[in-house]
Amino acid sequence: MAKQPRAWQRMLSGRRLDLLDPTPVDIEIEDIAHGLAFVARWNGQTRGDFAYSVAEHSLLVEELFGRIVPKAPTKWRLAALLHDAPEYVIGDMISPVKSAVGKGYDELDNRLSAAIHVRFGLPAAIPVATKKQIKRADRISAWMEAVQIAGFSEAEADKFFGKPDAALIEGLRIDLRTPKDVRTDFTARVKTLLEEL
């Protein structure tokens, strides 16, 4: 009988996460925060001395989601913060590459998302209306990133991501920080939200 290829990854916590069949018990927030703090958005093609990480992006999306839906229950703010959490083990790909890879990437992402959600007390699948609001926050974040650090003109960003409501982004600015600082803030924010559940 042929030996099956290894499908698990050892995490810094010591857990073995099966990427093809993830279980909530093998997921730790410290692993997620660490991984996301080192995954660069925009394939690292951003201005500055540090990569703009998925952890930093996730913090911004959660902030924007809170502005879009100010009375959202804490669990949906947590879902917004964890919207890209699977990327701690599968990495980030720009949208054109995700489209080219096809449904295999989506299936892997969905399995990991479900396990992560269950691990932190969320439903495996987020309601469609909430998912759309999180996606709106994600697109606004992408617009801000494109204009502030990825070299897009506002006209280009408007075309690809839609022009955001100025009130939603008022006072927000992208500052690149060390992975350690972002990891610390991401972990702290998750813990705060979990305490509020």
Side-chain angles (χ1 to χ4, degrees):
M1 188 167 186
K3 184 178 176 183
Q4 293 292 328
R6 179 173 68 90
W8 58 267
Q9 177 175 343
R10 179 176 298 282
M11 310 310 296
L12 287 178
S13 64
R15 300 279 189 189
R16 283 188 183 191
L17 179 66
D18 185 331
L19 301 177
L20 302 180
D21 187 22
T23 61
V25 297
D26 291 321
I27 294 167
E28 299 292 343
I29 196 56
E30 292 79 10
D31 292 332
I32 293 172
H34 183 82
L36 294 182
F38 284 93
V39 174
R41 282 184 51 87
W42 302 92
N43 286 334
Q45 298 301 304
T46 53
R47 297 182 188 110
D49 294 328
F50 300 104
Y52 183 69
S53 72
V54 175
E56 191 79 78
H57 161 77
S58 297
L59 288 163
L60 179 57
V61 168
E62 191 250 333
E63 170 68 27
L64 289 164
F65 175 78
R67 290 179 178 206
I68 292 167
V69 192
K71 294 183 180 180
T74 300
K75 66 181 177 179
W76 301 141
R77 289 196 71 139
L78 180 60
L81 185 59
L82 296 173
H83 79 284
D84 279 340
E87 294 178 7
Y88 85 109
V89 288
I90 60 174
D92 184 33
M93 284 189 241
I94 60 172
S95 296
V97 175
K98 284 180 186 175
S99 296
V101 170
K103 68 178 189 171
Y105 180 89
D106 288 339
E107 290 169 0
L108 184 59
D109 184 80
N110 290 335
R111 281 195 299 272
L112 284 160
S113 288
I116 290 164
H117 291 160
V118 170
R119 169 64 176 89
F120 297 107
L122 299 171
I126 304 301
V128 172
T130 302
K131 206 167 185 175
K132 284 182 180 177
Q133 293 163 328
I134 293 170
K135 187 63 182 173
R136 181 176 172 207
D138 191 36
R139 290 181 67 80
I140 294 169
S141 176
W143 185 93
M144 292 176 62
E145 295 161 22
V147 169
Q148 293 183 28
I149 59 173
F152 283 58
S153 68
E154 285 195 21
E156 278 182 304
D158 291 350
K159 178 181 172 185
F160 292 113
F161 308 110
K163 186 168 184 66
D165 180 344
L168 289 175
I169 62 174
E170 185 177 343
L172 295 178
R173 183 170 168 232
I174 294 173
D175 292 312
L176 302 179
R177 303 183 294 153
T178 68
K180 179 181 177 185
D181 289 342
V182 177
R183 178 182 64 208
T184 298
D185 287 354
F186 183 91
T187 304
R189 185 62 184 147
V190 169
K191 290 183 176 179
T192 296
L193 291 171
L194 288 173
E195 288 167 4
E196 292 175 8
L197 284 178

